[in-house]
Amino acid sequence: GDSVTQMEGPVTLSEEAFLTINCTYTATGYPSLFWYVQYPGEGLQLLLKATKADDKGSNKGFEATYRKETTSFHLEKGSVQVSDSAVYFCALSDQVLGNNRKLIWGLGTSLAVNP
Amino acid sequence: NAGVTQTPKFQVLKTGQSMTLQCAQDMNHEYMSWYRQDPGMGLRLIHYSVGAGITDQGEVPNGYNVSRSTTEDFPLRLLSAAPSQTSVYFCASSSRQREAFFGQGTRLTVV
């Protein structure tokens, strides 16, 4: 079945450092890909998404490109801030019963940014 | 602008007790789901629903029941709580081709 693998954490960086969180997937069809972020004590919220190959999703300085040839969707940010400290989840959509979407999740990567 | 509302936020149960976690959304989304989040396990799907009157099992359905009598509400019932059900529970909803919106979570402890 479909699956998502993301790099294990925790990741600890200094402020203004470059961030990469790796995410690879296996899927039989043409899924959409997502990055969600979970701040401490909160629910998950969508950070960015890409719906087809070569699409680049971006938001709040984060970017990820849908690479079909390497089945990857790595999350990057050029200069992290303390406020980016959170858990990041990579996910892909799976289609059940027509257009309704079921999400397949990675295990999450915890990021801590030190001042 | 409520989105997805979960209640309660915190709950402590004794082994064997039953309870219902409430979830309501005001976005007219067809798709709703319940997840549990445990350290090192990521998010695991418990049950989901693709519309009123339609529910199905996810990865870890044992010990939980759901129903979907209206589009807005999707309660999760714990039939006889066990310590293994200590977890953080999230409800989510989505519409066709759109991202999932999550509630704030319910932190459940079973003693």
Side-chain angles (χ1 to χ4, degrees):
Chain A
D2 296 355
S3 66
V4 173
T5 303
Q6 60 181 106
M7 64 186 284
E8 291 185 21
V11 174
T12 303
L13 295 173
S14 297
E15 208 165 22
E16 299 184 1
F18 185 86
L19 168 71
T20 300
I21 300 178
N22 290 337
C23 172
T24 57
Y25 68 91
T26 58
T28 53
Y30 300 93
S32 294
L33 300 173
F34 304 85
W35 277 101
Y36 280 78
V37 59
Q38 184 181 28
Y39 298 104
E42 298 185 11
L44 283 75
Q45 55 186 276
L46 180 69
L47 180 60
L48 53 85
K49 67 179 181 182
T51 57
K52 61 183 187 298
D54 300 324
D55 268 3
K56 177 185 283 188
S58 61
N59 185 26
K60 298 181 182 180
F62 291 89
E63 292 184 341
T65 301
Y66 188 164
R67 303 277 187 207
K68 193 170 186 299
E69 64 276 13
T70 56
T71 62
S72 65
F73 192 55
H74 305 321
L75 182 69
E76 296 181 335
K77 186 174 186 182
S79 176
V80 293
Q81 306 299 313
V82 172
S83 57
D84 294 326
S85 298
V87 180
Y88 292 82
F89 291 89
C90 185
L92 66 80
S93 68
D94 191 10
Q95 299 253 337
V96 292
L97 292 180
N99 288 323
N100 291 293
R101 172 168 293 145
K102 186 168 70 170
L103 288 165
I104 309 297
W105 296 91
L107 294 183
T109 302
S110 176
L111 170 66
V113 180
N114 298 319
Chain B
N1 195 20
V4 179
T5 303
Q6 282 184 243
T7 56
K9 290 188 177 179
F10 301 94
Q11 183 70 49
V12 178
L13 288 179
K14 294 182 178 178
T15 297
Q17 286 185 315
S18 63
M19 79 160 294
T20 299
L21 307 185
Q22 302 291 345
C23 176
Q25 53 95 4
D26 60 0
M27 297 172 282
N28 201 32
H29 286 168
E30 306 99 330
Y31 189 89
M32 296 185 74
S33 51
W34 277 102
Y35 294 91
R36 59 178 289 173
Q37 185 179 31
D38 302 291
M41 305 288 286
L43 288 166
R44 292 184 291 171
L45 183 64
I46 303 171
H47 285 284
Y48 66 96
S49 168
V50 298
I54 306 170
T55 64
D56 206 348
Q57 297 181 350
E59 303 170 63
V60 289
N62 293 340
Y64 307 95
N65 273 356
V66 291
S67 59
R68 185 95 180 270
S69 56
T70 67
T71 300
E72 294 77 19
D73 299 301
F74 191 46
L76 177 73
R77 298 183 186 83
L78 279 70
L79 308 173
S80 177
S84 61
Q85 294 179 304
T86 293
S87 187
V88 181
Y89 291 85
F90 288 100
C91 178
S93 75
S94 65
S95 188
R96 292 170 185 247
Q97 306 302 321
R98 297 293 299 275
E99 71 269 21
F101 292 82
F102 282 79
Q104 293 291 297
T106 296
R107 187 173 294 275
L108 175 68
T109 302
V110 182
V111 297

